[in-house]
Amino acid sequence: MERHLAQVEQRKADERQARRQRKKERALARQARYESAKREMKINHPRNKAMWTEVAKLDNEIQKLKREERTWIQIKKELDSMDAPNNEVIELDPVVPSTSAAMEEQVGNTPLEDTATTMVEDVTMAMNRLNWMLSSVSSAMEESDKLRKEAFTKYNEDHKMIGFSQFDDPKDLFRKVTRKSIGGTPRM
């Protein structure tokens, strides 16, 4: 009889233990569902979705500005190389044999003032064109810097991610996005 009572007590203890175990498993499953739903709500929060789409658009704009800046820098280098004094003396072969006396007489009769004035006007016009090109390149680079500062200010002041503790610092987010657009790997 005692053995029977001991078996009954053991069976009840095992059932209680099994009930406790099932209760713990249900609690863990409930906690996992709660965490999953919370993560999903953070991701699907309308403000966060809007922020991520804006981050993607600004990332594209930053990439465009970087390409444009590289293009302008390349153009500026080309213009600088064109402006550099070229000390090479180029010897040209005569087109017409110099033995022609009629040609020498015709060249001797041309008014030098008109030729010099025309040459000075040509050089002045070329320099005006170069100055205009350099000023347009400079203004484009200044505009690019201004747009980059505006993008940074917009990131700095307007972007607050809700529920994402790792992106609370907009300056850090901006660095990560620009590092990614340059080709580096973002560190998170």
Side-chain angles (χ1 to χ4, degrees), residues 1 5 7 23 25-26 34 44 50 72 78 94 112 126 129 131 136 170 178:
M1 179 81 168
L5 290 176
Q7 287 177 350
K23 189 175 181 178
E25 288 173 1
R26 283 194 309 267
Y34 173 76
N44 289 330
W72 286 118
E78 289 175 5
L112 292 177
R129 286 181 183 160
N131 283 335
S136 64
T178 55

Side-chain angles (χ1 to χ4, degrees), residues 80-94:
D80 288 343
S81 68
M82 292 173 84
D83 287 344
N86 194 355
N87 293 336
E88 287 184 23
V89 176
I90 300 173
E91 294 183 22
L92 299 174
D93 295 330

Side-chain angles (χ1 to χ4, degrees), residues 40-145:
E40 196 67 30
M41 284 174 50
K42 283 181 188 178
I43 291 171
N44 289 330
H45 194 278
R47 286 183 56 193
N48 287 343
K49 278 187 175 182
M51 292 294 176
W52 281 114
T53 56
E54 191 168 353
V55 165
K57 287 177 185 176
L58 289 172
D59 186 27
N60 287 337
E61 290 297 320
I62 287 171
Q63 289 175 358
K64 286 178 186 176
L65 288 172
K66 293 271 186 199
R67 277 187 297 233
E68 186 177 334
E69 182 181 20
R70 278 186 250 128
T71 305
W72 286 118
I73 288 173
Q74 182 182 4
I75 290 171
K76 186 175 181 185
K77 284 180 184 176
E78 289 175 5
L79 286 175
D80 288 343
S81 68
M82 292 173 84
D83 287 344
N86 194 355
N87 293 336
E88 287 184 23
V89 176
I90 300 173
E91 294 183 22
L92 299 174
D93 295 330
V95 177
V96 180
S98 61
T99 57
S100 171
M103 180 66 80
E104 287 179 11
E105 189 176 309
Q106 187 181 11
V107 169
N109 291 337
T110 54
L112 292 177
E113 289 179 12
D114 291 339
T115 306
T117 306
T118 306
M119 289 176 73
V120 168
E121 287 175 356
D122 289 345
V123 168
T124 305
M125 187 170 56
M127 290 307 294
N128 287 340
R129 286 181 183 160
L130 284 174
N131 283 335
W132 178 80
M133 281 286 275
L134 286 174
S135 65
S136 64
V137 166
S138 297
S139 65
M141 288 177 73
E142 288 170 2
E143 184 68 23
S144 174
D145 288 341

Side-chain angles (χ1 to χ4, degrees), residues 3-16:
R3 200 172 357 150
H4 177 64
L5 290 176
Q7 287 177 350
V8 169
E9 286 296 321
Q10 182 64 33
R11 195 170 354 126
K12 287 181 182 180
D14 290 343
E15 286 176 4
R16 281 193 298 264

